Amino acid sequence: MFALRVRAAVAAACVLIAGSVASAQAPVTDLTSTVFRRFADQVIKIHVIETSSSAKAELGSGFFVSGAGHIITNFHVISQLVHEPTRYRAEWVEAGGATHPLTILAIDVVRDLAVLHADYKPAKFFVLSAITEPQGTRLYSLGHPNDLGLSIVEGTYNGLLQYTLYPKIHFTGALNPGMSGGPTITEDGRVIGVNVSTEGNEISFLVPVDRAEALLEKARAPGYVTPADELAQVGAQVRAYQDVYLDKLFGDSTPTVALGPYKVPTRPASFFKCWADATRSTSERPYDVVSHQCSTDDYVFLSGDQSTGMVELRHRLYTGTGLGALRFYSLYEARFASGANEMEGSETDVTRFECQTRNVRTSSRAPSTMRAAMCVRRYKKLRGLYDVMLRVAVLGHTNSGLITTLSLSGVSFENAERITRRFLDRIQ
Amino acid sequence: MSTLVVIDVLDPRGGVASRARITSLPATIGRGFGNDIIIDDPYTDPTHVRIVLDESGALVAEDAGSVNGLRSSNSSDRVARVTLCNGTVLRIGRTSLRCYDPAESVAPAIPEAGSIRDEQPATAGAPTWLTTPGARWGVVIAAMAIDLLFTYTGTVERVTAAKLITAALAVLVAMALWAGAWALAGRLATHRAAFTSHLALASAAFGVGLIVSVVGEWLEFLWPAGAVSSILILPVNLVLLTGLIYGHLGLVSSMASRRRIRVSAAVVGSLVALAGVFALADQEKFSTKMSFAEQLKPIPARFVPTVSVDEFAKASRVLRTAADANVTTESK
């Protein structure tokens, strides 16, 4: 298993195209080989080992950031160690094959970073310091793609992404699975970011160096004690993270969009992306469907089976003038009941859903009567976190209907209740 | 010589193995060849029972001092004597005897096999719609019409006559198979198939069941918090199912009414218990599915009972409690 966080929709494509993209890259320049020679020793290969079989369960990269053996990598590289500390261990592997055990000092699960420690004093290491570079700066990413050996990838700095909850660097370069946690540096060895994810087609992302610097400072602060229960830290960080952005959602200034006779909330914050689509009626399917959906792009990696921190709203307008009231409501009811759950989580991560339904009358300026169903499930290992789905069907029209679904993952129940109240009042 | 009483010796399936008239008293019944009625049953005595007049002049069967005793069919206790007759069933050894008053009338002859038009229901007192051929087919057609209406209103794609007819035929075939199974049972037990009666009964239950389900959906839509399904609709459906089995049993056997009710209730109760076991096992299983009351109905919004957003939010807090409890349950 190679650790590089990929978008779910293109995960398979990234692995498949890794080889072809690598082979299509421009030839390595003299400068590139110089950068590689100068800084390769500071980049390490990290293995996560399953203790009973002593087999490799995960592969990633990391880099030394102090003479005392501190290492920066991604949280998702060592996440198995956090979830099952007795079942897994981490080690870094030298080029010659010698291994050194690694311990976790600090994690930042929201930004997918971790500070590790090796009982080793490297002769050379990267010094973390926040830097600014102009867009277009040539950068060099180091890491261990697909366990093929330490590699260097040239690319371009394309600045910070515009519409994200927290800063991420857009790196145009072919990062591959296994390079997670490695550094992306300028030609003189200054770290600009930590490799974290890719969407394929040379669209890759880095965690800005200032976050890694802050985490390292925290881990090196006098009196800092490594938490005994890192998993509890994961839960605490996710809970704190959601308070930052959920509080702003669906307030009075939330923009609305008209769908037929209805007005619905859209793009509740700048870090949402929205799409729309329409399907016209045919002789076989005599009804129109207009859809409008918005979701956050940012998500928090928890484990190989689960990511969290997403917010998604999906509106569907159904119009069936050729159906008659009874047949239209058969359609309306079937669509209200259907819809796959897209929130991740296996049996070890989450409970089953508990749901209830009520007919609700809102009290906004243009009150609506709607059927509202709410479903809740709890995270088993992270106390106080829930996945919540709210689905609403507006009542009262005989040949048109609006179904809206709001999905919140990894939220406290108090936040979910607050968002639910605001969201219902925004539907008119 | 006039007949005092008629005695049927029954076979293990309840059919009549032999029938005898008693014309003089005392009469005896037993395994010995000198008895008025000879029973081929190793658990009966050579002379097992005597039929005599008691002190009040009533005809009785009394135990002649047998090893395994005399029993009335209603009880497993040995008795010294049983009053005859009016359909009384006695047990001696492993043989059942049924007695008839000689004045009792019998049903007319059944016409030759192959004609189902003149079939008779197994029990007297069956409702008219089960005994009249026109009414029976009327019930079947009415149930099919209800099914067609529901199929049409439930189809959201383009509706064609072929789709509707196919759906209706599928239901008719299923009901015919159900009725056929009961008719076969009736043919074996009482030599009377009564297929169209069984079909009418199944159609009536199906049609009523459809209407009950629609009523349930409307109630669930208007009062989703009321647990309408479990409090109202489920018991109604169970009564409907019990009535269906009761009706079928009445057509295939001569079981007394109370016994039919008990048997029907026992069958339905067993099915409910079985369903309950499966539901319980399912309840604790992990699933990513979201199940909620999804009914939507086309009525003006002002007629829909509602709660406020605040009440909805507060009511949702039970979901957190239930989800928290699931952590413990699913961890076991």
Side-chain angles (χ1 to χ4, degrees), chain A residues 10-328:
Chain A
V10 298
C14 288
V15 174
L16 289 171
I17 69 170
S20 60
V21 170
S23 65
Q25 282 181 336
V28 171
T29 63
D30 288 340
L31 181 54
T32 308
S33 61
T34 303
V35 169
F36 183 83
R37 264 198 321 276
R38 285 179 64 192
F39 303 111
D41 289 345
Q42 294 158 221
V43 180
I44 63 169
K45 180 163 68 171
I46 296 175
H47 281 177
V48 173
I49 305 294
E50 198 278 312
T51 51
S52 64
S53 60
S54 296
K56 180 177 60 189
E58 199 68 68
L59 160 73
S61 306
F63 55 100
F64 285 108
V65 289
S66 79
H70 293 87
I71 293 160
I72 292 286
T73 186
N74 290 141
F75 168 79
H76 74 260
V77 172
I78 48 86
S79 64
Q80 286 163 308
L81 191 55
V82 171
H83 286 276
E84 295 180 88
T86 55
R87 196 173 159 197
Y88 295 93
R89 67 174 195 277
E91 59 190 28
W92 71 271
V93 184
E94 290 190 44
T99 61
H100 305 264
L102 297 173
T103 54
I104 300 174
L105 291 185
I107 57 173
D108 181 348
V109 67
V110 172
R111 289 160 191 87
D112 201 356
L113 292 172
V115 175
L116 310 180
H117 184 261
D119 190 12
Y120 179 80
K121 291 177 174 35
K124 294 190 294 180
F125 51 88
F126 293 101
V127 175
L128 301 183
S129 176
I131 58 172
T132 44
E133 294 288 340
Q135 186 152 354
T137 300
R138 201 81 185 133
L139 296 177
Y140 304 87
S141 183
L142 291 148
H144 292 265
N146 295 344
D147 207 7
L148 296 173
L150 182 62
S151 303
I152 186 165
V153 172
E154 288 183 68
T156 310
Y157 173 72
N158 272 307
L160 296 174
L161 295 178
Q162 274 198 311
Y163 302 112
T164 53
L165 184 56
Y166 54 86
K168 276 191 269 196
I169 294 172
H170 176 196
F171 171 66
T172 303
L175 294 189
N176 292 303
M179 295 182 74
S180 287
T184 295
I185 59 178
T186 59
E187 65 185 60
D188 52 0
R190 288 174 299 148
V191 178
I192 198 163
V194 181
N195 306 333
V196 71
S197 64
T198 181
E199 284 188 0
N201 291 323
E202 301 199 21
I203 299 174
S204 304
F205 305 103
L206 316 173
V207 181
V209 66
D210 61 325
R211 299 316 314 167
E213 184 185 10
L215 189 64
L216 178 64
E217 276 177 18
K218 174 184 163 186
R220 298 186 72 177
Y224 173 78
V225 176
T226 303
D229 186 356
E230 292 286 359
L231 199 55
Q233 280 295 297
V234 171
Q237 289 179 6
V238 173
R239 283 193 295 276
Y241 161 71
Q242 63 174 283
D243 286 337
V244 168
Y245 69 89
L246 286 180
D247 198 49
K248 305 181 181 69
L249 297 187
F250 304 112
D252 290 338
S253 58
T254 302
T256 58
V257 64
L259 284 183
Y262 311 96
K263 270 195 187 163
V264 293
T266 183
R267 206 161 185 225
S270 61
F271 48 86
F272 280 78
K273 287 185 184 158
C274 298
W275 302 264
D277 197 6
T279 309
R280 295 300 168 204
S281 64
T282 62
S283 57
E284 281 298 320
R285 299 176 68 185
Y287 53 89
D288 297 336
V289 183
V290 177
S291 63
H292 179 96
Q293 60 190 63
C294 303
S295 63
T296 54
D297 255 358
D298 302 293
Y299 59 96
V300 175
F301 177 96
L302 290 182
S303 70
D305 292 326
Q306 190 183 19
S307 295
T308 190
M310 285 89 79
V311 178
E312 183 185 63
L313 54 139
R314 191 181 291 186
H315 309 297
R316 295 257 193 287
L317 171 70
Y318 295 90
T319 311
T321 44
L323 281 178
L326 287 177
R327 291 177 68 205
F328 176 77

Side-chain angles (χ1 to χ4, degrees), chain B residues 8 20 33 40 45 55 91-92 113 153 161-162 176 201 212 257 264 286:
Chain B
D8 280 352
F33 295 143
D40 183 19
D45 278 60
E55 300 78 13
R91 277 192 68 80
I92 60 171
T153 56
L201 198 55
V212 167
S257 177
S264 306
F286 173 77

